[in-house]
Amino acid sequence: MLLEVKNLSVSFPGFTLHPVSFTLDRGEILALVGESGSGKTTLARAIACLSDPMAQVSGEVLLNGRELLGMREKDRKPLRMQEFALSFQTSAEWLNPSLTLAEHLREVLCRAYRGEALAKRARELMALVGLEEGDLSRYPRELSGGMVQKFLLASALALNPPLVLLDEPTGALDLASSQGITALIRDLNRKLGVTVVVITHQMSVVEEICDHVAILDGGVVVEEG
């Protein structure tokens, strides 16, 4: 078992995510489904220990048997990107408009790579998600929506974390781009064996790639299977 969530609850003014429990094995894909405001992103951020500082979080999140919520942030920080990674819904939360794609990757990869090994890994990541090596010199504003999502995937996978959480990876894309990203997620899941939690409101994503689904409404898991 890779991920075990036990009675995870999040409360802040105006909203409560009621206790959620589930487990995931290596290589499985879980969809958290619901309309805007249902609590799915709140749940994903809590799993990644990135909840709003004002939020009250309780329960347990065990990754490879280690409980994350109870850790001090200085002990948890080295695990982020290496043991688990979260790709945000909007590129503005992740991508600095003044940095090239190469510079973005360098900020992550420098934790495990140096020199030519770092440059090689950056090229490998671009190829892995279907981007060109030449795109490394581009800025986020020069990318299409589909390219942004591919690059966010590359960034999340940069240090080979066994768990990746993807917040609405197809939410802002047209149909063709959405289908391309959905197929890419499944392909990477099969190729790398990475466990994926996908936050989405699109049932087509669930039908095409997910092994398990949890449907949220008003902060409550109303159906799962």
Side-chain angles (χ1 to χ4, degrees), residues 8 46-47 49 57-61 67-72 76:
L8 182 58
I47 293 170
C49 304
V57 183
S58 62
E60 294 180 285
V61 176
E67 207 291 301
L68 300 180
L69 289 178
M71 283 186 180
R72 294 178 298 178
R76 190 167 51 216

Side-chain angles (χ1 to χ4, degrees), residues 87-89 91 94-95 101 105 122 124-132 135 143-158 164 166 168-170 173 176-185 188:
S87 176
F88 293 109
Q89 179 177 357
S91 60
W94 179 265
L95 301 180
L101 302 193
L105 284 179
E124 289 174 349
L125 287 165
M126 297 296 277
L128 185 67
V129 298
L131 294 174
E132 300 294 330
D135 292 328
L143 306 181
S144 68
M147 293 174 72
V148 167
Q149 288 302 322
K150 287 181 178 181
F151 183 71
L152 291 174
L153 272 172
S155 298
L157 295 168
V164 173
L166 305 176
E168 294 282 8
T170 63
L173 304 180
S177 297
S178 176
Q179 291 174 336
I181 293 298
T182 300
L184 177 60
I185 293 169
L188 293 173

